[in-house]
């Protein structure tokens, strides 16, 4: 097997890793916004120099924001796991070619683990999207 065939075999995991990196970037942005919002609301509540009705609304939002933070954290951990398994599958492919050993079952297992991690991370991200709408509903109650 020549170097071109080896590189072609590792191409699919690399495309998966690149796509996951873009998704992780978006999740990290969302996570940062949630954390910043929690800090802002906490500061406002501690100062307690606003309308009591508004403070009450903010206090209702904080548990939802904490839940969103946990969901996004779990989504990112799952996506990073998928990246890890993508890298592991590339290493397994290269090892199989270098050692001339049949590692088909191992490679398939690692790829499946990566896909499962991606799927689980996607579920957490979808749950965050749902929770973000709940926080907006609470904020709009007083309007």
């Amino acid at each position: 097997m020549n170097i071109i065939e080896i590189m072609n075999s590792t191409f699919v995991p690399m495309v998966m890793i690149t796509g996951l990196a873009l998704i992780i970037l978006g999740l990290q942005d969302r996570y940062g916004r949630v954390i910043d919002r929690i800090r802002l609301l906490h500061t406002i509540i501690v100062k307690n120099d606003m309308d009591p009705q508004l403070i009450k609304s903010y206090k209702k939002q904080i548990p939802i924001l904490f839940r969103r933070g946990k969901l996004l954290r779990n989504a990112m951990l799952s996506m990073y796991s998928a990246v890890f398994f993508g890298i592991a599958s590339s290493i397994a492919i290269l090892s199989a070619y270098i050692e001339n050993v049949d590692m088909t079952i191992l490679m398939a297992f690692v790829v499946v683990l990566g896909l499962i991690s991606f799927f689980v991370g996607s579920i957490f991200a979808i749950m965050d999207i749902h929770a973000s709408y709940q926080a907006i509903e609470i904020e709009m109650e007083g309007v």
Side-chain angles (χ1 to χ4, degrees), residues 107-122:
M107 289 185 282
F109 181 70
V110 172
V111 168
V112 167
L113 286 176
L115 292 174
I116 290 170
S117 296
F118 175 67
F119 179 75
V120 169
S122 297

PDB file of all heavy atoms in Angstrom, residues 107-122:
ATOM      1  N   MET A 107     -11.005  -0.525  14.206  1.00  0.00           N
ATOM      2  CA  MET A 107     -11.267   0.745  13.512  1.00  0.00           C
ATOM      3  C   MET A 107     -12.759   1.041  13.468  1.00  0.00           C
ATOM      4  O   MET A 107     -13.188   2.174  13.718  1.00  0.00           O
ATOM      5  CB  MET A 107     -10.682   0.710  12.100  1.00  0.00           C
ATOM      6  CG  MET A 107      -9.174   0.760  12.079  1.00  0.00           C
ATOM      7  SD  MET A 107      -8.477   0.861  10.426  1.00  0.00           S
ATOM      8  CE  MET A 107      -8.627  -0.831   9.875  1.00  0.00           C
ATOM      9  N   ALA A 108     -13.573   0.035  13.165  1.00  0.00           N
ATOM     10  CA  ALA A 108     -15.027   0.228  13.132  1.00  0.00           C
ATOM     11  C   ALA A 108     -15.552   0.603  14.516  1.00  0.00           C
ATOM     12  O   ALA A 108     -16.403   1.495  14.640  1.00  0.00           O
ATOM     13  CB  ALA A 108     -15.708  -1.034  12.627  1.00  0.00           C
ATOM     14  N   PHE A 109     -15.037  -0.041  15.542  1.00  0.00           N
ATOM     15  CA  PHE A 109     -15.460   0.245  16.915  1.00  0.00           C
ATOM     16  C   PHE A 109     -15.141   1.697  17.300  1.00  0.00           C
ATOM     17  O   PHE A 109     -15.980   2.399  17.863  1.00  0.00           O
ATOM     18  CB  PHE A 109     -14.777  -0.735  17.878  1.00  0.00           C
ATOM     19  CG  PHE A 109     -15.157  -0.549  19.315  1.00  0.00           C
ATOM     20  CD1 PHE A 109     -16.428  -0.871  19.758  1.00  0.00           C
ATOM     21  CD2 PHE A 109     -14.236  -0.044  20.218  1.00  0.00           C
ATOM     22  CE1 PHE A 109     -16.787  -0.694  21.094  1.00  0.00           C
ATOM     23  CE2 PHE A 109     -14.580   0.133  21.547  1.00  0.00           C
ATOM     24  CZ  PHE A 109     -15.859  -0.185  21.988  1.00  0.00           C
ATOM     25  N   VAL A 110     -13.944   2.143  16.968  1.00  0.00           N
ATOM     26  CA  VAL A 110     -13.542   3.515  17.306  1.00  0.00           C
ATOM     27  C   VAL A 110     -14.380   4.526  16.530  1.00  0.00           C
ATOM     28  O   VAL A 110     -14.807   5.544  17.088  1.00  0.00           O
ATOM     29  CB  VAL A 110     -12.023   3.701  17.057  1.00  0.00           C
ATOM     30  CG1 VAL A 110     -11.618   5.150  17.200  1.00  0.00           C
ATOM     31  CG2 VAL A 110     -11.221   2.834  18.011  1.00  0.00           C
ATOM     32  N   VAL A 111     -14.640   4.271  15.275  1.00  0.00           N
ATOM     33  CA  VAL A 111     -15.468   5.178  14.472  1.00  0.00           C
ATOM     34  C   VAL A 111     -16.887   5.242  15.033  1.00  0.00           C
ATOM     35  O   VAL A 111     -17.477   6.321  15.153  1.00  0.00           O
ATOM     36  CB  VAL A 111     -15.467   4.760  12.982  1.00  0.00           C
ATOM     37  CG1 VAL A 111     -16.539   5.512  12.204  1.00  0.00           C
ATOM     38  CG2 VAL A 111     -14.097   4.994  12.378  1.00  0.00           C
ATOM     39  N   VAL A 112     -17.433   4.091  15.402  1.00  0.00           N
ATOM     40  CA  VAL A 112     -18.782   4.055  15.982  1.00  0.00           C
ATOM     41  C   VAL A 112     -18.818   4.834  17.301  1.00  0.00           C
ATOM     42  O   VAL A 112     -19.770   5.584  17.563  1.00  0.00           O
ATOM     43  CB  VAL A 112     -19.277   2.596  16.168  1.00  0.00           C
ATOM     44  CG1 VAL A 112     -20.515   2.537  17.035  1.00  0.00           C
ATOM     45  CG2 VAL A 112     -19.540   1.961  14.812  1.00  0.00           C
ATOM     46  N   LEU A 113     -17.794   4.692  18.132  1.00  0.00           N
ATOM     47  CA  LEU A 113     -17.731   5.470  19.372  1.00  0.00           C
ATOM     48  C   LEU A 113     -17.713   6.968  19.080  1.00  0.00           C
ATOM     49  O   LEU A 113     -18.358   7.755  19.775  1.00  0.00           O
ATOM     50  CB  LEU A 113     -16.510   5.078  20.202  1.00  0.00           C
ATOM     51  CG  LEU A 113     -16.575   3.742  20.926  1.00  0.00           C
ATOM     52  CD1 LEU A 113     -15.243   3.461  21.624  1.00  0.00           C
ATOM     53  CD2 LEU A 113     -17.710   3.709  21.927  1.00  0.00           C
ATOM     54  N   GLY A 114     -16.986   7.358  18.059  1.00  0.00           N
ATOM     55  CA  GLY A 114     -16.958   8.769  17.663  1.00  0.00           C
ATOM     56  C   GLY A 114     -18.317   9.265  17.212  1.00  0.00           C
ATOM     57  O   GLY A 114     -18.745  10.362  17.580  1.00  0.00           O
ATOM     58  N   LEU A 115     -19.004   8.450  16.431  1.00  0.00           N
ATOM     59  CA  LEU A 115     -20.340   8.841  15.965  1.00  0.00           C
ATOM     60  C   LEU A 115     -21.340   8.906  17.118  1.00  0.00           C
ATOM     61  O   LEU A 115     -22.193   9.802  17.159  1.00  0.00           O
ATOM     62  CB  LEU A 115     -20.817   7.875  14.882  1.00  0.00           C
ATOM     63  CG  LEU A 115     -20.050   7.949  13.561  1.00  0.00           C
ATOM     64  CD1 LEU A 115     -20.507   6.837  12.621  1.00  0.00           C
ATOM     65  CD2 LEU A 115     -20.209   9.313  12.920  1.00  0.00           C
ATOM     66  N   ILE A 116     -21.235   7.975  18.042  1.00  0.00           N
ATOM     67  CA  ILE A 116     -22.119   8.004  19.218  1.00  0.00           C
ATOM     68  C   ILE A 116     -21.847   9.262  20.047  1.00  0.00           C
ATOM     69  O   ILE A 116     -22.785   9.936  20.489  1.00  0.00           O
ATOM     70  CB  ILE A 116     -21.955   6.721  20.066  1.00  0.00           C
ATOM     71  CG1 ILE A 116     -22.548   5.533  19.316  1.00  0.00           C
ATOM     72  CG2 ILE A 116     -22.600   6.887  21.439  1.00  0.00           C
ATOM     73  CD1 ILE A 116     -22.239   4.182  19.941  1.00  0.00           C
ATOM     74  N   SER A 117     -20.580   9.599  20.235  1.00  0.00           N
ATOM     75  CA  SER A 117     -20.233  10.813  20.977  1.00  0.00           C
ATOM     76  C   SER A 117     -20.796  12.048  20.286  1.00  0.00           C
ATOM     77  O   SER A 117     -21.325  12.953  20.936  1.00  0.00           O
ATOM     78  CB  SER A 117     -18.717  10.945  21.112  1.00  0.00           C
ATOM     79  OG  SER A 117     -18.192   9.905  21.875  1.00  0.00           O
ATOM     80  N   PHE A 118     -20.679  12.080  18.961  1.00  0.00           N
ATOM     81  CA  PHE A 118     -21.235  13.196  18.192  1.00  0.00           C
ATOM     82  C   PHE A 118     -22.753  13.267  18.365  1.00  0.00           C
ATOM     83  O   PHE A 118     -23.320  14.341  18.562  1.00  0.00           O
ATOM     84  CB  PHE A 118     -20.865  13.057  16.716  1.00  0.00           C
ATOM     85  CG  PHE A 118     -21.490  14.092  15.837  1.00  0.00           C
ATOM     86  CD1 PHE A 118     -21.130  15.418  15.955  1.00  0.00           C
ATOM     87  CD2 PHE A 118     -22.449  13.738  14.904  1.00  0.00           C
ATOM     88  CE1 PHE A 118     -21.719  16.384  15.146  1.00  0.00           C
ATOM     89  CE2 PHE A 118     -23.040  14.684  14.099  1.00  0.00           C
ATOM     90  CZ  PHE A 118     -22.673  16.024  14.216  1.00  0.00           C
ATOM     91  N   PHE A 119     -23.413  12.129  18.307  1.00  0.00           N
ATOM     92  CA  PHE A 119     -24.873  12.073  18.461  1.00  0.00           C
ATOM     93  C   PHE A 119     -25.288  12.578  19.840  1.00  0.00           C
ATOM     94  O   PHE A 119     -26.197  13.400  19.963  1.00  0.00           O
ATOM     95  CB  PHE A 119     -25.362  10.638  18.235  1.00  0.00           C
ATOM     96  CG  PHE A 119     -26.841  10.477  18.387  1.00  0.00           C
ATOM     97  CD1 PHE A 119     -27.704  10.934  17.406  1.00  0.00           C
ATOM     98  CD2 PHE A 119     -27.366   9.865  19.507  1.00  0.00           C
ATOM     99  CE1 PHE A 119     -29.076  10.793  17.546  1.00  0.00           C
ATOM    100  CE2 PHE A 119     -28.731   9.718  19.661  1.00  0.00           C
ATOM    101  CZ  PHE A 119     -29.593  10.184  18.673  1.00  0.00           C
ATOM    102  N   VAL A 120     -24.606  12.110  20.883  1.00  0.00           N
ATOM    103  CA  VAL A 120     -24.935  12.530  22.252  1.00  0.00           C
ATOM    104  C   VAL A 120     -24.706  14.028  22.412  1.00  0.00           C
ATOM    105  O   VAL A 120     -25.535  14.742  22.997  1.00  0.00           O
ATOM    106  CB  VAL A 120     -24.102  11.717  23.280  1.00  0.00           C
ATOM    107  CG1 VAL A 120     -24.207  12.310  24.675  1.00  0.00           C
ATOM    108  CG2 VAL A 120     -24.544  10.264  23.279  1.00  0.00           C
ATOM    109  N   GLY A 121     -23.599  14.534  21.876  1.00  0.00           N
ATOM    110  CA  GLY A 121     -23.338  15.972  21.939  1.00  0.00           C
ATOM    111  C   GLY A 121     -24.406  16.776  21.222  1.00  0.00           C
ATOM    112  O   GLY A 121     -24.804  17.850  21.678  1.00  0.00           O
ATOM    113  N   SER A 122     -24.882  16.257  20.103  1.00  0.00           N
ATOM    114  CA  SER A 122     -25.951  16.941  19.364  1.00  0.00           C
ATOM    115  C   SER A 122     -27.237  16.992  20.180  1.00  0.00           C
ATOM    116  O   SER A 122     -27.945  18.010  20.176  1.00  0.00           O
ATOM    117  CB  SER A 122     -26.218  16.230  18.033  1.00  0.00           C
ATOM    118  OG  SER A 122     -25.078  16.284  17.226  1.00  0.00           O
TER     119      SER A 122
END
